[in-house]
Every structure is written in C-alpha cells, then in structure tokens.
C-alpha cells in the first residue's frame, strides 16, 4: 500500500535491498522470506513480540536522490506480489519523468506530492469505516488476513499482545479478535504457532486465575481448551470476547450475520488502536445497559451521559447521579442504588431552559413536561452542548406525539416513521373505526375501540355487577389504593414519576387491582411503546385475523386451556380477546409466532388490561424482559434454568448436590420461569410475583425460586427419588396463599390434583416474598447477565448437538455412512452454511435458513459451497475440472431448482460416490452428462401416460372401490429407478463423458491401464452407436421408445443420412471423438504463478495412442472444459452425428469387459481420511473471486 512519505535515516538497518534504480530501492525485512540466519530469527521474533510488524510491513520501497543519506519511505507491502506491483508502477510511470529534473530537491518534492495524491485518490474510494481506522490498525488487519488466510470480508475488531499456553510453555504473540474468529500468531526463534477458532465453536469462555495460569482467559471448544494470559488489560479483552461470542451465539440461534452500525457517529479524532468496529461494539454494549436499566425499546440509542445532580422535591435535597440522553428519552439514575430513578420521554417535554447559575446551584437546566412537572438538573459540565442536543432531538420528535398546537410540533412527520414498526405491518391512519350495534365490530372488522375488552380489563367487566364489599379485605385494598394516591401526589404519576425505594416497598406490599394494569405498563416500559405506536394493534389484528398458519392452529388448540377455571375465560368474550392478542403478536413476530405458556401469561394480562395494553405488555415480555423465552426452542428459559442451577450451587450447596443426584432442578424450574409461577401457584398469589417481576425484573423470580427450595430444604434432603421431591415442591406451591385478595377464590387445578388426605400448612405469599429479599436480595442484575452469558454458550451448543443427533437419526436409515461419519459430514456442511452468513453469498441467510422446517432441511448451501465440499470430500476429482463436475452434480441434486441443497441431498450425492456398486456409480456419472431437464420430463411423461390409461379404463368399465384403492397405493409407492428408465446419450454427451473419465484417471496409480481400458471401451461404444443408428433410422416412422423421443437429439426429427455416407460414418465418428479430445488437450492452460505450481505431466503424456482399431486419443490436460459452450458447438456442429446414440445398458456392458475399470469403480472410498484432512486445514477459506462466481452461476443455466 502507498503510505505518506516518512523520513528514514538508516536504510539498511534490519533490511535487505533486493532491487534498486537511481531513484528507488525495494527492500525486504530480515527474518522474512528465505535465509536470514540467526539475525533473521532475532528480527522475526522482535517483530512479533514488539509488534513492529504491525507498523513496518515485511517489504517497503524507499526514495533516494543522488548522494543524499536521507531516504523517504513511500510504499510498503505484506507480500512480494503487492510490493512488486508498486515497483513496476514506479518504473513505468515515474522513471522517465524524474530524469528530466535537474534539482534533487525538486525530484523529492515531486515524488512526495505524487504519492500523496495517489493516497488521496485511494481514500476517496474506500469505505467510511476504513477511513476512520488508523493506518497502524489497517496494517494489522492486512497482516491478520495474510497470516490466517482470511478474505476481505473478515473484519478485525482489535488485537492484543498476550501469551498462549501451548502445553506448559507460554508463547508470546498477538491475539487477533475478528468478527467471526479468534486468531493467535507467534514466531519465537524460528518456531511458529498459529491458531484459528471460530466463535461459533466456542462452548465456554471464562476468566480465571490459577497457580498454573495466572489471570488467564480460557476458551473452550468441543474438543480442546485454549489458555491466554499476560494481557495488558484483561478485563477489556474479556468483555470484547464476550460480545463477539454472544454475536456468534445469536447467529446460531437466529441465523443472522453481524452487520456494522452505519449510523454510528464518527469519532472526534482517530484513536490510535481502536477500530470503527470496536467503537460500534462498545456503543452497542452501552446501549444494551442503558435500555435494560430504564426498560426502553430495542431501537433506543444512547447519545451520551454526564454526571449531574437532580433536585428531589419529595426529599428536599440534591441527589448525585448520571444524566442519560438518547433519541427519545432523558433519563436519570442516582449513584446510590434505588435512591432515585427518572425517565422523561421527549414527547412529554414542553420546555427546556437554562436556569440562573449560582454558587449553590451551578449550571442548572430546567425541564418542564406537559403534565406540569418540572425537573431541575445542576452541576452539568457542558450545559450549552447538552441543551443543544436535547433541542435537536426535540425537533426530530414526530408531530403526532405532541399535543395539538404545540410550539415544538413539526409538520411532515408521522408515527409510521418510528423505527420500531415492522415494515410488513404499516400503520393505518388514525381514523375512527365504524362499529355495529351492541359495540361489536362492523362487518369485515375484527377489532373495534367500542369492544368491552378495548376499554377495560376482563376482571373489571365481570366484577362491575358484584355487590360492594365492606369487609376487612376490601378495607385493606382501599388502604393500598390510598397509599398509592399519596405516592402519586409526592412523586408524580405516569411515566415521569420519581422511582425510589418507597416505590419498591409499595410494590412488594401488593399493587391494588384497580391500578395493576396501569403500573404494569409503567414499570415494564410498555406504556412508552403503546404511546408511540397509536393504532398499531388495531391494524395488526386486521392483518392477522383470518390467516391460517401453524401459529394460528396452535393458538386455537390452546385457547380453551388458558385459565379455564376463571369465569372470564369460560365464554366467547374472553376467548376472542385472547385469540386477537396472541394472533396479532404471532403476526408481528413470526420468528416467535406462538409458544406454549404464552397463552397463560396473556390471559392474566387481559384480566387487568385492555387488549391493546395486554398486547404491548406481551411485546415487552417476549422481546425485552424474557428474551428468547418463547421461541421454538425456549432457549431463554433453558438459559435461566442453568443460571438457577448455578445460583443453587452457590447459595444452597448441600441441597444442590442432592437435587442433582435426583435430577429435579431441571425438571421443576422450567415451568416456574416460563409462566412466572402462574401455572404452579394459586392465581391470587402468583399475580403478586408478577407485580414484583414487572418492577424488578427476572431477579425476583430467581429469588423466590431459591426461597422455595430453602423453605423445603430439610424435607428435600430426605427425598429418595425425583417424584417425591416434585410432590413436596408441588404441594408447597399449591398452598402459597394471598390472604389479602378481594377477588373471589379461584380453584387451582394443580392443587386439586395434588391434594392429599392431610392438608399441608398455608404459606403467606407476602412472607415468601419478604423471605426471598431477606435471604437472596443481594442478587444483582449485572451478575445474572454474566451468568446468563456463560449458560447461553452451553445451552445453544447443547441444542446444536441435539439437532445434529436428530438429523443423523433421521438420515441414517437412508445412508450407508456410519453415525460418526454422518456427524462429521453435518459439522462440515453446517460450517459452510455459517460461513455464507458472514462472508456474503448469492442469497441472504434468511433465505437459506427456515426455522419452521425440520432440522434435516433447515440449513442449505449454494453451488459455490458445494463445489468446495465436493473438491474436499469427493472421490471423482478431475483437476481443474472438478468444479465443473461438481456443478453438474449440484444441478442433479437440486430437485426444486432453487439453487440450494439441504443436508439430506448432500449426503445422497456423496453416498453414490462412496458406497454405490459399479452400476450405481456409472449410473450417476451417466446422469451427470445428460441434460438435467430430460430426467424430470421423463418421469412426468410416464405419469401422464399412466393417467391417460386410467381414464380410458374408467370409461370402458366401472371398477369397484378396492381397485382404486390398490391403484392409489401403487401410485404412492416410491418408484425405483432402473437402468432401463435412463434416457439415451447422444454423441456430444458421450464425448463429454469420455473427457471426464480421462481426467478422473489422471491422478490414479494405474492410469496407464485405465487409459487403455477407457480407449477400448470408447471405441467399442462408438461402433455400437453406429450399428444402433441403422436400426433407429429404419424404424423412425414408428418410434417406440418414448424416453428417447423426448431427448433433444431425437433421431426421427433429424434428416435421414444418405446410404452412400453410411459406410464411412463409423470412422468419422471415431475421428470426431479423437479430434474433440485432442482439441481439449490443446487448450491453453492457466498461467502459472510460481515454480511450485508447475505440475509434472510426463506420466500423463507418456501414453498417447492405443493399439490399432482402438480409439486414438491423446491424454486430456487438466484444464479441459467439460461442458460444451456455444463456441464448441460452432466448431463441431457441422460434424456431430445427430442420429448416433447409446443406452446406459450398452455403456455398462462395455465397461464390464475391462477389469481395470471394474476394479476402479468397485473400489470403496475412504471418507474418514478426507474428512480428517478437512479438519486439519484452517477453518477459513478465501472466497472465490467475482469472475469465478460468474462462471459458477453460468453453469446452472
């Protein structure tokens, strides 16, 4: 690469000059390339340890004039090819121009200006991301790609100096963390260590400190462990590793590759060793912490944060904390935990102004909202900039979120511009929806604002006619409502409420039923999403209802299983509302669709909320508060189940060991987490846990689960089997009661089924919650997230192993490969699929991966990846023509013509090459050289003829139903293809088959015998075709072979040859094949780039002619083109015999006459050796160039 000219004083220190002219010198660094001795070893070691190679590439070009001792470095390169290109450009374009100058200073000035101009032109064409990266970082990225064979699509995130422990010896070097790989390189005194690990293969990643590995990072895969230590800042390195591993796990889970954030603001200055990707990942981590802290939507992006103080009128004091500003919110969090938290949506802001500064209140900013609340922030370091940023965000706020006539409202914006709305579900205009009589939707509408469930929760609908209760429970409920009203008066009401420890106390004491829906929306953040998406739910219901999908079928099946004991769901009103909410969410998020347990949670939400509120609460649960809980594999619940086991081991070690022996924890905890205890605890008690969950998050569920185990510890330690332990816990949870509820008692089905003769004592749910906070309240959200990361690696990799076993079990009966071989093939196949996700492909990853399909058909590869696997695993290798043969094989396997094949099709193709007998292998080769469109046409024609025959028979005579059942069963039986079903092969296709066979034999130890044999067989088949042509021509008026008549080389459609020419046709056919094969040999081979690539072809060319009477043909070169192109047809079109053809039976019979051919095709392949070779190779490959992509795609057409 061209570099900004820099002055060099010692040109020959640690460098060797290789080329020179009067103005430039090309040098190679000692320790690179051949030779160098002890000096080269020392320099190479210094380059690795001191990272000098990241600043100084192994090749460079210096500029020098006259006798000057000052040199200027103008170019560097990581390879000889790169630096040679720069050198040749200088000799071609600058040498003659420089010889004109008389003054050396003018020459130097001209060269420096020219190089600077080249750099400026290159920078214009580079991506913005590359422009942000420092020159040193770009050189390190190029070095990584060279060392590990990475393509240009692989982006380096950061690199660190560290030691890699190989055995008990540390190897000092550099670890390169790219988006998809962890790489390490070390070169110490001639010993080189190279390591490449895909992030998708990592099963465990942890930071630990032992006597053997002091403060190290352990990276575990399924087969090995790697230890890295001696980092300058191990915490930063480990955090970055965690992020990259999380991205990889998300890729395995959702099949989505990493995409850089193009909207990330540019850095004020280029950081020395920080790439744009590293800044992107750091920003993502901050955004995730920010959104989790304040329960904000996934599209919210943190703009910045600063230290400040907030005046709290309820405490009459200034609280120290941090102010956060994002595109839609202003948030505050006190430095002391739970002291105060504040969320101010910009849609609620009316005035932002700078207040008067004083010594007591320096740099204050006042923010007023539409509900007449004012917030005063002070001690702001850069007040002017903060106010300007807030004003900018206010100007971008959509006008529909402002009240009418608001001075800050802007025209031209609409709610549909919000990023959170899926493009597939645009919002309709906010027009009143017409309704029919009785509040029912008008004809054609499924949802109306006048529906009872659109304005109030089901509980309020069914309790409005109940007589007013004046008992002690009702009095207690009134007292709770009054406490909350006092709290609202002091701390505010709505989204801008001050959230303090007092708020938590009120939540733990139970939210009154009249306020439950409102506070659930507030604490979960669902209120913000609902406010910014008016009309979204109604439009979604109209789009979703009436569709018939797998999700809607599952919803219909579970509707009547959702709280059937509650009277609200014993009639059509509650069932219809539940159907609309679940169906709307399945339409919004097809990736989740519908999962069991969603119906239970949603039915509880509908009791206290309107339909729209319940929908947005469900969105908050599934997409933010319980991530990945309700996907097809309930990954999130399995992850938290693992976290719960780890917490049990830490908090209750004795019980953990005993429970592990019984295997109870994994059995009981899944339903606890999936339904938030709603399915295992009486409703009135479980709903209090839901109150705490919406305020505190998942930590409350962990706390209560630990408290349940702790309360039953003594009894559980005495259990002898799993069933006894589950019965104990089930009865305990059944008897957790809420003595303060004002609702009529609801029978708990689980309690009815598990009740015994002697009722166990009742447990007050408030005491259970209090006990969980007293004993396990020290749990922190960040600790839980760290534990979730560890468990997520374990769970997802375990699910991948389960999927692999399922695929192998499904395919093992149809394949001759062993279970171990199928598992290895699956790993290689999926690795190719995953590479397509992050290194680009002809189609997106979403098109390749359909989670709704069985595991066997989920992952698919395209032609390019199949060619790579074919070249690595196939037995029929034809030199440079392997790709062409693989392309033909791919077209044959791609039954639905979508350009992709699944794993079953892939294994089917390999099985024919490895485990088929000679007939099967020859049949496959024969098919590969027929036009692909012939094979399906043949089958469909036979079916059509059979149908016509059935119709004629049905008209002539009436059959009974047993006859038609037998015919139907016969139609359903898979038709076994015989050799007689194969179409005939014409002369051009036969020539291509001969070329393929010649290329296949070129690497075989018995190639001479095989060449003799195939030449003899080819000559025999030519004569057979000539003889058969005479019979075909004579019977052309009455063709009987329907298969052959469909071929494009139909003899009856071609002109009849004259009798005088028939005598010489046999010799002309042989000469035609000889000419074609000879021309194929004379084609120009590809230009060789190095001496190592020159192949020894003497053994191939030693055999040039067979005995008299045989087919005369020279050896086929490795670069022979197998598929005839338009040029070939023009070259040979006038001499091809269109009437000549042979059958597969004739080919097989001819092959069987030659023992070398029989031995070759009967020989079994060793796929284990080929798979072992694949695994020994690095797990990365260079992508095929664009021209190669074009060639591959052209083979499919």
């Amino acid at each position: 690469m061209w570099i900004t000219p820099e002055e060099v004083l010692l040109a020959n220190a640690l460098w060797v000059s290789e080329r020179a002219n009067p103005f430039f010198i090309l040098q190679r660094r000692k320790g690179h390339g051949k030779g160098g001795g002890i000096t080269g070893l020392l320099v190479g070691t210094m380059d690795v340890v001191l990272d000098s190679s990241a600043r100084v590439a192994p090749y460079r070009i210096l500029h020098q004039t006259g006798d000057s001792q000052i040199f200027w470095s103008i170019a560097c390169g990581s390879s000889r090819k790169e630096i040679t290109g720069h050198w040749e450009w200088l000799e071609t374009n600058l040498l003659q121009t420089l010889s004109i100058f008389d003054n050396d200073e003018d020459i130097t000035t001209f060269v420096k200006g020219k190089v600077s101009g080249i750099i400026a032109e290159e920078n214009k064409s580079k991506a913005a991301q590359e422009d942000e990266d420092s020159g040193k970082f770009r050189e390190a990225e190029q070095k990584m790609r060279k060392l590990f064979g990475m393509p240009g699509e692989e982006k380096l995130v950061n690199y660190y100096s560290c030691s890699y422990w190989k055995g008990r010896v540390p190897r000092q070097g550099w670890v390169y963390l790219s988006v998809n790989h962890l790489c390490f390189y070390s070169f110490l005194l001639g010993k080189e260590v190279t390591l490449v690990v895909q992030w998708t293969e990592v099963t465990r990643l942890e930071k630990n400190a032992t006597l053997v590995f002091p403060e190290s990072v352990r990276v575990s895969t399924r087969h090995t462990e790697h230890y890295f230590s001696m980092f300058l800042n191990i915490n930063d390195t480990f955090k970055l590793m965690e992020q990259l591993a999380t991205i990889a796990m998300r890729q395995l889970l959702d099949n989505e590759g990493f995409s850089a954030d193009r909207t990330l603001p540019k850095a004020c200055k280029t950081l020395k060793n920080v790439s744009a990707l590293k800044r992107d990942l750091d920003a993502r981590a901050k955004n995730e912490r920010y959104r989790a802290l304040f329960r904000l939507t996934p599209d919210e992006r943190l703009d910045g944060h600063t230290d400040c103080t907030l005046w709290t009128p309820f405490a009459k004091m200034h609280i120290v904390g941090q102010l956060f500003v994002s595109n839609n919110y202003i948030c505050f969090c006190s430095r002391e935990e739970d002291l105060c938290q504040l969320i101010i949506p910009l849609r609620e802001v009316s005035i932002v102004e700078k207040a008067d500064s004083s010594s007591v209140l320096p740099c204050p900013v006042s923010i007023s909202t539409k509900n007449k609340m004012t917030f005063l922030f002070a001690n702001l370091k850069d007040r002017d900039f903060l106010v300007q940023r807030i004003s900018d965000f206010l100007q971008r706020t959509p006008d529909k979120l402002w009240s009418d006539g608001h001075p800050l409202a802007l025209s031209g914006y609409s709610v549909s511009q919000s990023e959170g709305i899926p493009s597939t579900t645009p919002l309709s205009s906010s027009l009143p929806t017409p309704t029919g009589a009785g509040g029912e939707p008008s004809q054609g509408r499924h949802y109306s604002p006048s529906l009872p469930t659109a304005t109030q929760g089901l509980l309020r609908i069914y309790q409005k006619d109940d007589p007013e209760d004046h008992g002690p429970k009702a009095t207690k409920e009134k007292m709770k409502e009054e406490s909350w009203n006092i709290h609202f008066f002091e701390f505010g009401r709505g989204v801008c409420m001050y959230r303090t420890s007092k708020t938590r106390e009120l939540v733990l004491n139970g939210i009154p039923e009249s306020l439950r829906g409102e506070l659930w929306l507030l604490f979960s953040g669902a209120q913000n999403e609902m406010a910014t998406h008016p009309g979204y739910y109604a439009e979604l219901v109209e789009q979703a209802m009436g569709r018939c999908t797998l999700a809607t079928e599952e919803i219909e099946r579970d509707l009547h299983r959702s709280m059937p004991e509650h009277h609200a769901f014993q009639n059509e009103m509650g069932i219809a509302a539940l159907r609309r909410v679940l169906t709307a969410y399945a339409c919004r998020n097809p990736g989740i669709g519908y999962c069991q347990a969603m119906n239970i949670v949603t039915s509880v939400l509908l009791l206290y909320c309107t339909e729209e509120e319940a929908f947005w609460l469900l969105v908050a649960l599934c997409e933010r508060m319980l991530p990945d809980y309700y996907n097809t594999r309930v990954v999130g619940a399995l992850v938290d189940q693992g976290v719960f086991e780890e917490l049990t081991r830490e908090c209750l070690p004795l019980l953990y060991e005993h429970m592990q022996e019984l295997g109870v924890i994994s059995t009981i905890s899944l339903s606890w987490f999936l339904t938030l205890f709603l399915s295992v605890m009486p409703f009135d008690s479980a709903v209090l846990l839901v109150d705490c969950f919406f305020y505190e998050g998942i930590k409350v569920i962990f706390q209560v689960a630990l408290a349940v185990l702790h309360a039953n510890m003594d009894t559980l330690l005495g259990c002898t089997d799993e069933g006894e332990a589950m019965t104990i816990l089930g009865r305990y949870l059944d008897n957790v009661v809420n003595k303060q509820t004002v609702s009529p008692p609801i029978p708990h089905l689980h309690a009815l089924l598990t009740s015994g003769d002697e009722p166990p004592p009742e447990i007050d749910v408030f005491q259970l919650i209090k006990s969980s906070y007293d004993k396990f309240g020290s749990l922190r959200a960040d600790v839980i997230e760290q534990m979730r990361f560890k468990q997520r690696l374990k769970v997802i990799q375990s699910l991948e192993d389960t999927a692999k076993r399922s695929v192998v079990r499904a395919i093992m009966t149809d394949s001759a490969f062993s279970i171990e071989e199928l598992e290895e093939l699956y790993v290689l196949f999926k690795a190719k699929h995953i590479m397509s996700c992050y290194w680009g492909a002809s189609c997106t990853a979403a098109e390749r991966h359909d989670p709704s399909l069985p595991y066997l058909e989920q992952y698919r590869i395209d032609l390019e990846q199949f060619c790579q696997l074919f070249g690595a695993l196939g037995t029929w290798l034809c030199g440079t023509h392997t790709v062409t043969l693989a392309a033909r094989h791919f077209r044959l396997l791609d039954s639905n013509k979508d350009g992709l094949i699944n794993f079953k099709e892939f294994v089917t193709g390999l099985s024919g090459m490895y485990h088929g007998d000679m007939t099967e292998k020859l049949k496959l080769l024969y098919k590969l050289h027929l036009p692909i469109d012939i094979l399906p046409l043949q089958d469909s024609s036979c079916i059509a003829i059979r149908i016509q025959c059935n119709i004629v028979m049905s008209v002539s005579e009436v059959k009974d139903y047993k006859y038609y059942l037998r015919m139907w069963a016969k139609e359903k039986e898979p038709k076994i293809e015989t050799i007689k079903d194969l179409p005939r092969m014409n002369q051009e296709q036969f020539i291509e088959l001969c070329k393929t066979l010649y290329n296949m034999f070129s690497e075989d130890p018995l190639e001479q015998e095989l060449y003799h044999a195939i030449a003899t067989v080819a000559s025999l088949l030519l004569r057979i075709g000539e003889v058969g042509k005479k019979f075909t021509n004579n019977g052309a008026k009455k063709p009987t072979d329907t298969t052959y008549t469909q071929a494009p080389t139909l003899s009856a459609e071609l002109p009849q040859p004259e009798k005088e020419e028939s005598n010489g046709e046999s010799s002309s056919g042989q000469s035609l094949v000889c000419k074609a094969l000879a021309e194929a040999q004379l084609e120009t081979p590809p230009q060789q780039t190095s001496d190592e690539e020159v192949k020894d072809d003497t053994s191939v060319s030693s055999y040039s002619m067979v005995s008299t009477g045989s087919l005369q043909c020279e050896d086929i070169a490795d670069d022979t083109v197998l598929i005839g192109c338009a040029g070939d047809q023009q070259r040979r079109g006038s001499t091809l015999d269109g009437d000549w053809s042979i059958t597969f039976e004739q080919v097989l019979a001819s092959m069987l006459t030659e023992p070398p051919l029989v031995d070759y095709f009967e020989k079994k392949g060793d796929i284990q050796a080929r798979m072992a070779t694949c695994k020994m190779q690095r797990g990365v490959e260079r992508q095929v160039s664009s021209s190669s992509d074009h060639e591959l795609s052209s083979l499919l057409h």
Side-chain angles (χ1 to χ4, degrees), residues 272-501:
K272 186 177 182 182
N273 285 329
V274 179
S275 66
L277 277 178
K278 179 65 166 58
R279 290 180 52 239
D280 184 358
L281 291 175
D282 289 343
R284 292 182 188 216
K286 290 182 179 180
N287 287 333
E288 289 174 3
R289 290 194 295 268
Y290 169 65
R291 291 192 293 259
L293 180 61
F294 299 103
R295 305 277 173 82
L296 302 179
T297 56
D299 59 338
E300 198 63 25
R301 299 162 56 88
L302 179 63
D303 187 68
H305 58 89
T306 183
D307 294 333
C308 71
T309 60
L310 170 65
W311 170 253
T312 53
F314 55 89
K316 300 296 189 291
M317 61 181 293
H318 293 277
I319 296 179
V320 179
Q322 280 194 320
L323 180 70
F324 301 83
V325 178
S326 59
N327 46 325
N328 293 301
Y329 298 91
I330 301 171
C331 302
F332 174 85
C333 184
S334 61
R335 185 174 299 173
E336 183 180 346
E337 189 176 5
D338 294 333
L339 189 58
C340 182
Q341 192 181 83
L342 183 65
I343 301 174
I344 309 173
L346 292 182
R347 66 178 185 274
E348 299 290 335
V349 174
S350 58
I351 300 174
V352 178
E353 59 182 354
K354 293 181 283 187
D356 296 334
S357 182
S358 65
S359 58
V360 179
L361 200 65
C363 302
V365 171
S366 174
I367 299 177
S368 301
T369 62
K370 292 187 289 185
N371 60 354
K372 309 304 180 184
M373 293 184 69
T374 301
F375 305 95
L376 187 62
F377 299 93
N379 292 283
L380 295 164
K381 293 181 180 179
D382 196 344
R383 181 176 62 167
D384 294 339
F385 178 75
L386 174 66
V387 172
Q388 182 61 46
R389 291 300 295 167
I390 295 175
S391 300
D392 292 341
F393 285 128
L394 285 172
Q395 292 295 323
R396 302 172 194 171
T397 304
D399 60 339
K400 285 188 180 181
L401 303 184
W402 300 98
S403 58
D404 295 338
H406 195 280
L408 289 177
L410 298 176
S411 60
Y413 288 86
S414 65
V415 178
S416 60
Q417 291 173 315
S418 176
E419 297 178 4
I421 301 175
S423 59
T424 57
T425 55
L427 297 182
S428 61
S429 58
S430 301
L431 297 176
T433 306
T435 59
E440 294 298 322
S442 61
Q443 187 175 4
R445 304 287 295 182
H446 296 89
Y447 176 78
S448 165
S450 61
L451 284 172
T453 53
T455 56
Q456 54 188 335
L458 288 171
L459 204 61
R460 184 170 297 179
I461 293 175
Y462 285 95
Q463 289 181 353
K464 63 182 179 180
D465 297 330
D466 294 346
E468 187 176 357
D469 187 5
H470 297 283
K473 292 184 178 180
T475 305
K476 184 71 173 178
E477 187 77 2
K478 292 291 184 181
M479 292 174 60
K480 286 184 182 180
E481 292 180 7
E482 188 61 28
S483 298
W484 275 100
N485 289 331
I486 295 173
H487 185 273
F488 292 149
F489 179 78
E490 292 184 10
F491 298 88
R493 187 166 187 171
V495 69
C496 298
M497 178 178 68
Y498 292 97
R499 306 178 194 200
T500 66
S501 56

Side-chain angles (χ1 to χ4, degrees), residues 808 816-827 903 915 1165-1168 1171:
V808 170
F817 290 114
S818 66
I819 294 178
E820 293 76 12
E821 290 171 344
L822 287 174
E823 288 182 349
E824 292 293 335
L825 287 173
Y826 181 82
V827 171
F903 180 66
H915 297 292
D1166 183 11
I1167 196 170
Q1168 289 282 3
M1171 289 192 298

Side-chain angles (χ1 to χ4, degrees), residues 686-876:
V687 76
L688 293 175
L689 299 184
V690 178
D691 293 342
C692 300
F693 167 75
F694 277 122
Y695 186 79
E696 293 275 24
I698 194 63
K699 63 169 287 189
V700 173
I701 306 301
F702 286 119
Q703 289 176 188
V704 173
L706 290 171
V708 170
L709 292 184
H710 184 271
N712 294 274
M713 182 185 295
D714 295 336
T715 314
L716 291 172
L717 288 174
C719 293
T720 57
D721 57 44
E722 177 184 358
E724 185 180 358
M726 293 183 64
T727 302
I728 291 171
L729 291 172
R731 287 190 176 182
Y732 178 86
L733 292 172
D734 288 338
N735 289 275
V736 176
V737 297
N738 178 9
K739 298 179 181 180
Q740 300 179 10
T741 181
V742 294
S743 301
I746 301 172
H748 188 221
L749 293 182
H750 189 265
L752 295 176
L753 295 174
T754 59
S755 61
D757 298 334
E758 183 179 342
E762 293 182 344
I763 300 95
D764 188 359
V765 65
F766 292 101
Q767 289 298 322
L768 177 61
I769 294 174
K770 184 177 184 301
S771 174
S772 71
Y773 273 90
D774 292 341
K775 294 182 174 65
F776 309 104
S778 58
L779 281 179
R780 295 174 55 88
D782 56 346
V783 175
I784 292 176
E785 285 302 318
Q786 183 67 32
M787 297 171 76
R788 274 179 165 178
F789 165 75
K790 292 172 59 178
Q791 294 298 326
R792 190 177 293 113
L793 291 178
K794 179 180 176 181
V795 167
I796 293 180
Q797 296 293 10
S798 176
L799 290 173
E800 292 298 311
D801 292 339
T802 302
K804 178 177 67 176
R805 290 191 293 268
S806 300
V807 169
V808 170
R809 280 197 302 268
I811 206 174
M812 60 184 298
T813 56
D814 301 328
S815 172
F817 290 114
S818 66
I819 294 178
E820 293 76 12
E821 290 171 344
L822 287 174
E823 288 182 349
E824 292 293 335
L825 287 173
Y826 181 82
V827 171
L828 294 173
F829 183 88
K830 188 173 181 182
K832 284 293 176 188
H833 167 85
I834 290 175
M835 286 182 184
S836 70
C837 297
Y838 54 69
W839 282 351
S842 57
C843 61
T844 63
E847 294 173 345
R848 296 167 177 269
H849 178 71
D850 185 356
S852 64
L853 294 175
Y855 286 130
L856 186 61
E857 303 176 10
Q858 280 191 10
Y859 298 104
R860 297 179 290 174
I861 59 175
D862 60 10
L863 171 61
E864 178 187 338
Q865 295 160 334
F866 177 80
C867 290
Q868 294 171 358
L869 287 175
F870 186 90
L873 301 174
T875 57
W876 298 340

Side-chain angles (χ1 to χ4, degrees), residues 32-48:
H32 295 271
K34 298 180 180 179
I38 187 64
T39 305
L41 290 177
L42 292 175
V43 173
T45 301
M46 274 192 343
D47 284 346
V48 172

